[in-house]
């Protein structure tokens, strides 16, 4: 157990002695938990964040310009370039040079679900969970390219044990256990509005995950990067847990990334509206970056070009290809900026846990896209919203489980129509709640081309909910 006198001296030095106010009332287990929390805290980091808090949130920086984007293919030359890129990406996959990396630290609270978000059922017909959806795609791609695609999964302190148990209960969804590597995201203290740390309970410090930017540092500190080097991994396919339409280790994206000599590449899509709540791929001070929607002024949001298209149209959807040496460089020597947001953080007031009704504290996070300015070369690839983005963030409405199931159904309807199978409801589903729905397992077909090779045109008609695979 950490030394109490050393901890007490550190707290006094940094003006945080109040964190031991409950000490005398704690049992031995509670004292161990509290000292363990305190021993893990970097107090130099706390002091730096207190200064940030006093200075206020950082502004958006210098003038922004639209970032260059490789747009969806429109000509035969474009299609030839994409075909060439696909061949390059497929070759890298066959050689076992790519790994999948999932950021999955969240809980399903906003969905009304008690458990890791990845355990939430999203399959329109089968009820497959997000974890199973991703796992089957990785397994299917591994089978197609006759190679191992290791899967690295970043959990959180809150859901790590439940996530591992869920994978164990489901026999890792057919994947070899040695090829699925878990590690926990680092936690950082919350500060109240005066820069003081809070207790979450009588024996725990109030902390929050350090943001998806922390995933890069977590890869290094967990030993995952060392594991990648041993396996000969050169490219990391980064994605977040809540999007079942993500194409993991996309060979076209991977090939374009390789051909461009990019260190970090991003998928973007046409914003649905000027005020859509997603970040935008930009250039700032000549460097690639993503500007969050809250940091973009209304004039820039609504600006349009001569063609009537939004000037800042390229919305980032948290899908990246990142080179292993680039992660090593960023995680080893660079410092990503800390973003601060005011939140309602429950705290122990000396007698009980209080759930505040107003914002009482600041959470600090880093964002993975803030690594982009450190890249010597980058690439943004436009993708179709209908083919790549069906996030599950809300219980109902936009970006909900209901809307995701509808989007998945429309996507698979498109596959079936291309294969010559009549589908009477691809564009106008009667109900987001009752269907009818369509679902095609990645283990049955990874893409429309594979499906077309497995069904006979006109061989059947879709009249109700249908599951293949």
């Amino acid at each position: 157990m950490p030394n109490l006198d050393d901890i007490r001296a550190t707290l006094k030095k940094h003006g945080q002695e109040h964190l031991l106010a409950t000490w005398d009332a704690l049992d031995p287990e509670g004292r161990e938990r509290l000292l363990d929390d305190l021993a893990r805290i970097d107090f130099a980091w706390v002091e730096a964040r207190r200064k940030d808090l006093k200075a206020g949130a950082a502004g958006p920086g210098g003038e922004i310009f639209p970032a260059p984007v490789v747009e969806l293919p429109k000509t035969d030359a474009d299609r030839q370039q994409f075909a060439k890129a696909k061949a390059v990406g497929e070759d890298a996959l066959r050689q076992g040079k790519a790994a999948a990396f999932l950021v999955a630290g969240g809980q399903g609270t906003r969905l009304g679900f008690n458990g890791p978000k990845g355990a939430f059922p999203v399959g329109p017909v089968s009820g497959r969970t997000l974890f199973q959806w991703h796992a089957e795609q990785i397994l299917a791609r591994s089978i197609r390219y006759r190679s191992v695609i290791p899967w690295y999964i970043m959990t959180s302190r809150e859901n790590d044990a439940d996530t591992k148990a869920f994978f164990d209960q489901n026999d890792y969804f057919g994947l070899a256990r040695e090829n699925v590597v878990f590690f926990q995201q680092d936690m950082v203290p919350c500060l109240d509005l005066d820069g003081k740390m809070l207790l979450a309970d009588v024996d725990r410090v109030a902390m929050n995950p350090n943001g998806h930017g922390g995933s890069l540092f977590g890869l290094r500190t967990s030993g995952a990067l060392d594991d990648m080097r041993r396996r000969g991994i050169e490219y990391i396919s980064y994605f977040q847990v809540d999007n079942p339409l993500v194409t993991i280790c996309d060979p076209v994206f991977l090939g374009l990334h390789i051909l461009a000599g990019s260190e970090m590449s991003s998928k973007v899509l046409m914003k649905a509206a000027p005020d859509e709540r997603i970040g935008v791929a930009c250039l700032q001070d000549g460097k690639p970056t993503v500007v969050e929607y809250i940091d973009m002024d209304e004039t820039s949001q609504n600006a349009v070009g001569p063609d009537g298209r939004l000037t800042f149209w390229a919305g980032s959807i948290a899908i990246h290809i990142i080179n292993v040496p680039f992660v090593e460089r960023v995680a080893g020597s660079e410092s990503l900026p800390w973003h601060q947001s005011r939140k309602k953080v429950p705290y122990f007031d000396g007698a009980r846990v209080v759930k505040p009704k107003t914002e009482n504290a600041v959470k600090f996070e880093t964002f993975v896209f803030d690594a982009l300015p450190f890249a010597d070369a980058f690439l943004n690839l436009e993708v179709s919203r209908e083919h790549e983005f069906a996030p599950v963030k809300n219980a109902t409405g936009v970006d909900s489980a209901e809307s995701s199931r509808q989007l998945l159904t429309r996507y698979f309807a498109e596959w079936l129509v291309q294969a010559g199978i009549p589908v009477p409801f691809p564009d106008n589903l009667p109900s987001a709640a009752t269907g009818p729905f369509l679902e095609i397992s990645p283990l049955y077909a990874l893409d429309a081309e594979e499906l077309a090779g497995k069904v006979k045109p006109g061989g059947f008609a879709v009249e109700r909910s249908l599951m293949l695979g």
Side-chain angles (χ1 to χ4, degrees):
M1 190 165 67
N3 183 277
L4 175 60
D5 290 337
D6 291 343
I7 293 290
R8 198 182 297 276
T10 299
L11 293 176
K12 183 177 181 180
K13 177 182 176 182
H14 295 281
Q16 305 284 355
E17 303 98 313
H18 62 284
L19 294 174
L20 286 177
T22 62
W23 183 259
D24 291 340
L26 295 178
D27 59 23
E29 291 79 13
R31 290 181 175 185
E32 184 174 355
R33 281 191 294 270
L34 181 57
L35 281 187
D36 185 62
D37 273 3
L38 293 171
R40 293 172 182 269
I41 291 169
D42 179 350
F43 282 89
W45 179 93
V46 173
E47 287 302 312
R49 302 293 75 77
R50 290 180 72 175
K51 291 179 181 178
D52 291 346
L53 185 59
K54 290 178 181 178
E63 186 177 1
I64 59 173
F65 300 90
V69 175
V70 177
E71 298 187 17
L72 291 167
K74 299 179 179 66
T75 67
D76 287 342
D78 292 340
R79 286 183 278 275
Q80 289 171 8
Q81 177 65 9
F82 274 54
K84 178 182 177 181
K86 183 179 181 181
V88 170
E90 288 182 325
D91 187 57
L93 289 167
R94 290 189 189 95
Q95 294 182 51
K97 293 182 177 181
F101 178 31
L102 173 66
V103 176
Q107 292 288 90
T109 308
R110 286 172 61 185
L111 305 173
F113 177 73
N114 183 26
K117 196 172 189 179
F120 182 79
V122 73
V125 181
S126 69
R128 276 178 171 84
T129 64
L130 286 160
F131 280 141
Q132 183 174 356
W133 200 273
H134 299 319
E136 290 188 358
Q137 187 181 161
I138 292 169
L139 179 57
R141 209 169 295 282
S142 299
I143 293 169
R144 173 178 287 189
Y145 296 110
R146 299 180 181 178
S147 66
V148 172
I149 298 176
W151 191 11
Y152 300 85
I153 301 174
M154 187 177 76
T155 63
S156 64
R157 183 169 73 177
E158 187 176 23
N159 75 6
D160 182 71
D162 288 341
T163 297
K164 290 175 180 176
F166 189 75
F167 270 72
D168 193 61
Q169 292 160 11
N170 288 278
D171 198 23
Y172 281 62
F173 307 103
L175 295 166
R177 293 176 181 236
E178 65 268 20
N179 295 326
V180 181
V181 180
F182 298 97
F183 67 90
Q184 282 191 51
Q185 184 172 15
D186 288 336
M187 305 287 286
V188 293
C190 307
L191 301 182
D192 71 15
L193 302 183
D194 294 319
K196 295 284 189 179
M197 294 165 57
L198 298 167
L199 288 176
D201 207 331
V202 63
D203 57 1
R204 299 309 300 255
V205 176
M207 305 179 84
N208 64 269
N210 64 353
H212 45 72
S215 64
L216 303 182
F217 298 89
L219 285 171
R220 178 174 64 87
T221 58
S222 68
L225 279 180
D226 293 333
D227 187 71
M228 289 180 183
R229 280 195 298 269
R230 286 193 295 270
R231 295 173 182 264
I233 300 298
E234 298 180 17
Y235 310 105
I236 300 169
S237 178
Y238 171 103
F239 62 105
Q240 296 182 355
V241 73
D242 60 9
N243 181 13
L245 265 184
V246 60
T247 304
I248 304 166
C249 293
D250 177 356
V252 174
F253 186 30
L254 178 58
L256 288 168
H257 171 90
I258 293 170
L259 290 172
S262 175
E263 291 189 306
M264 182 171 179
S265 297
S266 311
K267 284 189 174 181
V268 301
L269 47 72
M270 182 72 67
K271 290 181 67 176
D275 59 351
E276 185 176 10
R277 296 166 67 88
I278 55 177
V280 179
C282 298
L283 291 178
Q284 194 167 45
D285 298 324
K287 296 284 189 178
T289 190
V290 171
V291 176
E292 285 280 63
Y293 62 91
I294 58 174
D295 291 328
M296 184 171 284
D297 62 80
E298 189 173 344
T299 299
S300 297
Q301 276 189 1
N302 291 288
V304 296
D307 58 358
R309 186 172 71 172
L310 288 173
T311 300
F312 295 98
W313 61 267
S316 178
I317 53 175
I319 301 173
H320 304 282
I321 298 288
I322 314 174
N323 290 356
V324 169
F326 178 67
V327 176
E328 291 173 331
R329 190 173 86 235
V330 170
S333 61
E334 307 293 355
S335 177
L336 301 185
W338 287 93
H339 299 261
Q340 47 182 288
S341 57
R342 295 195 173 198
K343 299 289 184 179
K344 301 173 186 176
V345 176
Y347 64 96
F348 185 76
D349 69 352
R352 62 190 180 89
V353 175
V354 177
K355 293 185 177 180
K357 296 181 180 180
T358 58
E359 296 166 345
N360 66 311
V362 174
K363 291 184 177 182
F364 293 90
E365 297 178 300
T366 58
F367 299 151
V368 70
F369 52 71
D370 280 330
L372 279 165
F374 300 111
D376 293 331
F378 70 98
L379 176 137
N380 292 308
L381 173 65
E382 182 188 8
V383 296
S384 165
R385 179 184 295 267
E386 293 76 17
H387 295 173
E388 302 259 2
F389 195 53
V392 182
K393 297 182 181 295
N394 305 311
T396 58
V398 177
D399 293 344
S400 66
E402 293 177 350
S403 65
S404 183
R405 293 183 184 115
Q406 279 194 308
L407 289 166
L408 287 164
T409 292
R410 290 182 178 134
Y411 182 51
F412 294 130
E414 183 179 320
W415 285 18
L416 288 162
V417 170
Q418 289 178 17
I421 303 299
V423 180
F425 54 86
D427 297 318
N428 187 25
L429 300 183
S431 169
T434 61
F437 294 116
L438 301 175
E439 183 176 342
I440 300 173
S441 166
L443 293 173
Y444 185 83
L446 262 173
D447 48 42
E449 292 76 17
E450 185 174 4
L451 177 68
K454 292 188 173 182
V455 298
K456 180 181 179 181
F460 61 94
V462 179
E463 298 176 350
R464 58 185 65 87
S465 292
L466 172 71
M467 169 75 197
L468 294 178

